[in-house]
Amino acid sequence: MAGMSPLFRRAAARSPQDRLVTLIGKPDCHLCDAAQGVVEKVCAELGVPWEVKDINQDPQLHDQYWEQIPVVLVDGAQHTFWRVNEDRLRKALTER
């Protein structure tokens, strides 16, 4: 792809439907509820699959993220924590 025109490289980029958003949170967390609202909205608009993982049910997630919840991962990489910005998430899912 190195010698390929930028126009063709963009066409080969992943579509939003090929992405995965993971929301890591816990029950009774107002920030987690707010983050879920943003994730639901953006993912529904773009047709992106998403999932929720409960930090209380996974010791590894708890050890890694307990001070940052809610945490949003895009394709397994940390995108943000605490507050989810709708425009920033949309941009992350549509660019690359």
Side-chain angles (χ1 to χ4, degrees), residues 12-74:
R14 296 170 65 180
S15 73
Q17 295 79 14
D18 294 332
R19 315 304 297 273
L20 176 63
V21 174
T22 304
L23 174 62
I24 301 169
K26 67 178 185 176
D28 301 318
C29 165
H30 72 281
L31 287 177
C32 300
D33 294 340
Q36 183 168 335
V38 173
V39 169
E40 283 179 354
K41 179 181 179 185
V42 173
C43 288
E45 288 174 4
L46 299 175
V48 175
W50 65 281
E51 63 185 358
V52 176
K53 293 193 176 182
D54 183 345
I55 201 167
N56 295 322
Q57 303 300 316
D58 187 321
Q60 182 179 357
L61 290 177
H62 185 274
D63 290 346
Q64 188 169 0
Y65 297 117
W66 73 274
E67 291 182 322
Q68 298 178 342
I69 63 165
V71 175
V72 174
L73 310 179
V74 174

